[in-house]
Amino acid sequence: MKVLVINCGSSSLKYQLIDSDTEDVLAKGLCERIGIDGRLVYQKAGCDKEITEAPMPTHKEAIQMVLDALTNEKTGAIKSLDEVDAIGHRVVHGGEKFASSALVTDEMIKAVEECSELAPLHNPANLIGIRVCSELMPGVPQVGVFDTAFHQTMPPKAYLYGLPIKYYKDYKVRRYGFHGTSHSYVSKRAVEFLGLDPANSKVIVCHLGNGSSISAVVNGKCIDTTMGLTPLEGLVMGTRSGNIDPAIMEYVAKKENLDLQGIMNVLNKKSGLLGMSGGVSSDMRDLEAAAEGDNKDARNALDVLAYDVLKFVGGYVAAMNGVDAIVFTAGIGENDGKVRAAVVKNLGYLGVTLDKEANKKRGEEVVISTPDSKVKVAVIPTNEELAICRDTVALVKK
Ligand code: ADP
């Protein structure tokens, strides 16, 4: 089957066309600046990227441009849209309604709409993608794959906050967790790659990217994760603060004369590595260069990230009463040997030693702990698009 995977953001859209039999990517790219001006990046497998600047007032024009590029006579990956057998959409928030991926139906769309209050920036954009595809490719089955679904197996002790229970019962305030498609894919792949027993395995996945989260997975089921009601909780991230004392919000609001929206903007966009480094960058490569140049704020920001990872890993080892494997993934986890080394340095209590040579590798599946280590530490590149493609095929074929 040929599956079009779509990840619709508020002003951008990423796509991949995947042959599900071979799992090869036939073409991929993105639309940027939707509603502003518009830019399409299209890359057919084995070819160079093509960039087209063209107006994209809404997601409809953006998706139409993607479909035109995919079927372009000269550079298209397919001859006609009839070759697209199914469409898989990333959907950010499935609330408590979705514990797994779901076929798009009227009821499904209604349920996703009901979750929109929990992710007002993301779910409406995801739904636009679904609606536009129904319009432009009527009759092609569509599936929604939720960032939150994998974490729905968490027990109440992991998902309830220390707040009046009314907030959970009436407003559904609880930990949901995000990056679930990545945590699910990487934890399964870790079990295969490391030869663990799927029915008796304890895995910690450290998804460290622009947004970062860690999850604890027992026998393939998530038992805890660091992100919460929203993707703001947990580790320090590129521009997000992660955990802070909530009272800081009132204190800083008064000092800086900010309202709630202003404070949320600071916590989401001006904090994290970017904020801690005094504005140097949210990107690890820039921060590492600055730290080498003796920028103390950049050095502290890097130290805080590694320390946060260590503390959550330690907490999850305790929560699972042990661990078989610790896995790094996403932009930082896959590429940044320095962060991995800084974390593994403190895993001596688990009988782990770093294989320094293996840790030099980037972006490939590799074990980075020495063979005599009691717990395996590995890098496994994530592939959320492939995971969405697999779920889509599984539901469409049913
Ligand atoms: P997103 O959460 O946006 O999907 P990614 O998972 O792509 O983010 O991660 C992006 C981050 O990965 C960058 O901001 C950068 O900090 C980090 N990164 C990417 N490549 C490297 C590299 N070669 N070395 C260190 N860090 C890297």
Side-chain angles (χ1 to χ4, degrees), residues 163-183:
L163 291 169
I165 196 65
K166 169 185 176 19
Y167 299 168
Y168 169 60
K169 291 189 173 161
D170 293 354
Y171 315 134
K172 298 285 175 228
V173 173
R174 52 159 284 178
R175 176 183 313 288
Y176 290 96
F178 297 86
H179 294 138
T181 313
S182 176
H183 287 287

Side-chain angles (χ1 to χ4, degrees), residues 128-141:
I128 290 174
I130 292 175
R131 290 205 172 97
V132 170
C133 285
S134 314
E135 212 180 309
L136 298 177
M137 285 182 282
V140 179

Side-chain angles (χ1 to χ4, degrees), residues 14 179 207-212 238 240 273 281-288 329-337 339 362 382 384:
K14 292 188 200 142
H179 294 138
H207 176 114
L208 310 178
N210 229 336
S212 298
R240 286 173 241 165
L273 301 173
S281 177
S282 60
D283 192 298
M284 294 297 279
R285 290 160 286 196
D286 302 333
L287 287 173
E288 277 157 9
T329 195
I332 300 171
E334 290 167 28
N335 294 301
D336 197 325
V339 170
R362 275 182 43 200
T382 191
E384 286 158 288

